[in-house]
Amino acid sequence: MINDVTFDFDFDANDVATLWVSVRDNLVVSARRQPLRSVDRLRMAAKRGANFASSVALLDELLRDQADELQRIARKATERIDDIEDAVLRGHYLKHTAELARLRRLMVRLQRLLAPEPGALLRTLSNPPAWVSADDMQRLRQASEEFSVVLRAVTTKQDRIKLMQEEAANRVADQNSRTLFTLTAVTVIALPINLISGLFGMNVGGIPLGEHKSGFWIMVGVIGALTVAIAFLAVRRFRRTRE
């Protein structure tokens, strides 16, 4: 069984399907439920007149086409990751969060589905059928090594996307903490106004300066002084946290 991307692959984790292949001495039979990229490339090569010396050579060509398709996907993913990384470093990280998650799901699915193939192929080559020639075995080993290199590149992309998601999450958390601190500072600064206005709004006797001709302006001065003092302390604390 070989996992491959669908013909209309569009960087979605669901665009991966399975190909069943049976290889005999002079026969290769494959079965699939939907069109696949690597198989279609092999079909077009056969229609153009490509010659294969054996059934194993045909399988080798299929594996190499699959590795080439994965390299193409890895290159396009790298280009897109580079663009997103530049945007994240510029501070435009919120609009790329969903795309980063989609790319990471794709890399994880590719790595999980395709990683067992080189190992399974090597186990087969360790005890090959009698009709497989030494040259065919060598070609299959080379195809397995190329496939392993591409899988390592996919794993590297996965780790890179994870780091970018962590960077974006850290920036979001930092922005949220700054917003919360600003909201808290505004609430504390407005506390004297709300507290004193609430006390003086009580409809009871004994309100201070109630009969004083300048009582209103005195209380405005007290409220202003308290507000300025609290604002000064809040700004100073904010500067310390930024440093």
Side-chain angles (χ1 to χ4, degrees):
M1 291 188 301
I2 299 176
N3 294 296
D4 194 13
V5 297
T6 59
F7 185 80
D8 54 349
F9 178 75
D10 192 26
F11 281 83
D12 190 273
N14 295 322
D15 293 341
V16 180
T18 302
L19 172 70
W20 290 267
V21 183
S22 177
V23 182
R24 296 291 184 268
D25 188 2
N26 295 308
L27 178 67
V28 175
V29 179
S30 64
R32 54 200 168 112
R33 293 182 178 178
Q34 51 187 315
L36 302 177
R37 281 286 182 91
S38 301
V39 179
D40 189 74
R41 291 177 61 176
L42 183 61
R43 180 181 65 83
M44 294 301 297
K47 289 184 66 175
R48 289 193 297 265
N51 295 321
F52 303 100
S54 64
S55 59
V56 178
L58 183 65
L59 176 62
D60 172 68
E61 184 67 22
L62 175 62
L63 293 175
R64 292 181 185 273
D65 287 340
Q66 189 181 28
D68 291 340
E69 184 64 26
L70 284 178
Q71 287 180 345
R72 185 188 69 83
I73 294 173
R75 284 195 300 269
K76 286 192 173 183
T78 300
E79 294 174 358
R80 187 55 191 151
I81 291 172
D82 290 339
D83 295 338
I84 296 176
E85 186 176 26
D86 293 338
V88 169
L89 293 177
R90 291 195 303 266
H92 305 155
Y93 44 85
L94 292 177
K95 61 181 180 181
H96 297 292
T97 303
E99 187 171 4
L100 281 175
R102 181 169 61 89
L103 286 173
R104 186 177 179 184
R105 285 195 301 270
L106 173 63
M107 295 297 121
V108 170
R109 183 170 174 80
L110 288 176
Q111 196 273 338
R112 184 176 65 250
L113 293 178
L114 303 178
E117 293 186 14
L121 183 59
L122 289 176
R123 286 193 298 271
T124 302
L125 293 176
S126 64
N127 188 21
W131 47 267
V132 179
S133 65
D135 292 337
D136 288 338
M137 289 180 59
Q138 182 62 28
R139 283 196 293 267
L140 286 177
R141 286 194 181 93
Q142 293 177 355
S144 177
E145 292 174 358
E146 292 178 3
F147 200 80
S148 298
V149 171
V150 177
L151 283 176
R152 285 195 293 270
V154 170
T155 303
T156 302
K157 303 295 181 298
Q158 179 183 343
D159 294 337
R160 187 179 174 189
I161 293 173
K162 181 180 179 181
L163 291 175
M164 291 177 59
Q165 286 181 314
E166 291 176 353
E167 175 66 21
N170 290 335
R171 289 175 177 261
V172 170
D174 183 67
Q175 182 179 6
N176 290 338
S177 64
R178 291 176 182 273
T179 303
L180 182 60
F181 180 82
T182 302
L183 179 62
T184 303
V186 172
T187 304
V188 172
I189 291 173
L191 182 60
I193 301 176
N194 295 327
L195 180 60
I196 296 176
S197 61
L199 289 175
F200 277 78
M202 295 180 181
N203 191 17
V204 295
I207 295 178
L209 305 177
E211 303 297 331
H212 198 284
K213 61 179 181 180
S214 301
F216 172 77
W217 298 109
I218 293 174
M219 294 311 304
V220 168
V222 171
I223 293 174
L226 290 175
T227 302
V228 170
I230 294 176
F232 174 77
L233 294 175
V235 170
R236 199 164 111 188
R237 178 67 180 275
F238 181 71
R239 288 177 179 176
R240 287 181 179 178
T241 55
R242 292 189 62 181
E243 294 175 356

